[in-house]
Amino acid sequence: MKAFRIENNTLFVKMFILLFLSVLIPVTFLGYWYFNRASGQIEQVTSGLLTENLQQNRLRLEQYFKQAELHSESIIASQKLEVLDTALEDRLFLSRSLSLINDLKGRYDLAIYPADETRYAAYSALLRSGPLLSGPERIRQALELEGRGYWYAEGGSFVFVRLIRAMSDLRPLAVIQLSMSGFQVSQQLIAPFEYPNFRHDIADENGNVLLASPRGEMTPGEKMFLSDIPLTGVPWTLVAAIPEKDLIGPVENIRRVSLLLALASIGLISILLALVTNSFISPIKYVVAQMKKAQLGQLVPSDKYADRRDEIGQLTRGYNSLIYGMEELLETTKQMEADKSRTEMQMLIHQINPHFLYNTLDAIKWRADHVREQTIAEMVTSLSNLIRYSINNGEEFTTVEREIEHVKSYLSIESLRSPDTFQVVVSVQPRALNVPILKLIIQPLVENSVRHGMNKLQSGRGKILIRVFIEGEDLVCIVEDNGPGCSEEASARMNRPNLQPGETGGVGLYNVNQRLKIRFGMKYGVTLENREHGGCKATIRHPLM
């Protein structure tokens, strides 16, 4: 089974997965965060609820236990206890203590035991009703506290024990025991009505439950929210508990409903995302199908989506423009191929003429050397060099050095025609000598200076300066003369798109300028300007290659 790789899938699948994840991840994260935040809030509120309830019930229990201690104080203050004496026989002590119990017990269960712990067993045998102490150690503990009471819990009851002394001589008379049932204690506890399973338990210092709340049911292993608080004056701790389900249950219901809603929403969003994605992908697939037809040579413009104002419409219109341009280019190419065929045929027909002229000039040179006509031989040699350079096997580029040699051949002919008419200075930067340059672009500028500048000056006063150098990323050639300068009409004629039929002036400069612009762009070409002290300055800007 091949591994799923998203890059191997269609654009529809990629966009759908991306949009789906961009919706699913934030929704899932927010839902998870919201539920945890809600659970945390519930725990915080529950903790506050338990703490507040515990503090309230602690005050009630402490007050209830304090009332028992106060009741013991009232018993001690009673003069009726003087009838008890540690020297009384057990039966008489029991008889008198039972009478006192009925008079002094109040709302508690009261028991009176002799202060002598050795008599505990015999006395306990006589006493058949009422709460019993766990043993003589309770009496001993009461005697050790010397009148201070203490609490203990046993058998589901809470018991307060203390020693009673005679008012006259403070001799020990008896040990009293005030006990209250767990039911009585639980009646002092209040729980929130809205939580039926809210529990209160009383535990000792070891965590043993002394009083279990009769309210609510607790399943074994059930998770509970717990909180506890120690009771003042008694060795016990009040514990409050509430099942998590009572608090989290509504949230769980909300979570289940929210999960169902989220799943339904994700399903609906998936459908909407599929529709939205398809609305973008379908036009692209259509344009791709049209492009495949174009690859097979079927140049068919798109008849759909071109009127849309979005990127799809722009893509369609761009495709249509490309198709129309390709059709036009094909037509132009066909026409150019036809013109090229005709031109090549004409070149083959006329190619013999330059070669015939070159061979003829070579024969004239040989004859001039034979009759010792040196001037004619030099002119013919220069002209032969010009023609040879022009033919040059149809090559478009040459070097600056060869282009300057070509210019020198032309100037040689001009100087033989009109000796001492003008002077020429050539300055070429050494590192520019071997730089490639478009062929036959400097000689027309020099010819323009000779014909339109030097011919209008007195013999011997004409000067032409030719400079070639590298400037940044360009090769610059400047031809300057001290002639009358150039007219605005000549400069404008050079920059026309086309020359008028029969127009002859400035054809050489025009051709050079057009060749440079067509070959390298509008940044390059020829510029004409008048020098500050008279004369014309023609500048060629050619890219370094």
Side-chain angles (χ1 to χ4, degrees), residues 34-35 38-39 42 244-262:
Y34 176 77
F35 179 76
S39 300
I42 289 175
E244 284 188 2
K245 65 179 182 180
D246 287 5
L247 296 171
I248 304 298
V251 178
E252 290 289 342
N253 294 332
I254 294 174
R255 183 174 68 171
R256 285 192 289 269
V257 173
S258 300
L259 181 60
L260 293 176
L261 290 176

Side-chain angles (χ1 to χ4, degrees), residues 119 132 135 141 189 208 277 363 416 491 520 543:
R119 299 173 57 189
L132 295 174
Q141 185 176 358
L189 301 174
N208 300 318
T277 304
L416 290 173
S491 179
F520 303 115

Side-chain angles (χ1 to χ4, degrees), residues 331-349:
E331 291 296 327
T332 304
T333 303
K334 290 179 181 179
Q335 185 65 36
M336 290 177 63
E337 289 294 330
D339 293 343
K340 181 180 179 181
S341 298
R342 289 194 299 269
T343 302
E344 288 178 350
M345 183 60 67
Q346 290 176 0
M347 288 178 63
L348 290 174
I349 293 173

Side-chain angles (χ1 to χ4, degrees), residues 389 398-409 426 428-437 442 468 475:
Y389 183 79
T398 184
T399 62
V400 172
E401 184 177 14
R402 294 183 63 190
E403 183 72 4
I404 292 298
E405 290 298 326
H406 173 67
V407 172
K408 290 180 179 179
S409 296
V426 179
V428 180
Q429 192 176 23
R431 67 190 184 106
L433 286 172
N434 294 320
V435 173
I437 188 173
I442 300 179
V468 182
L475 178 69

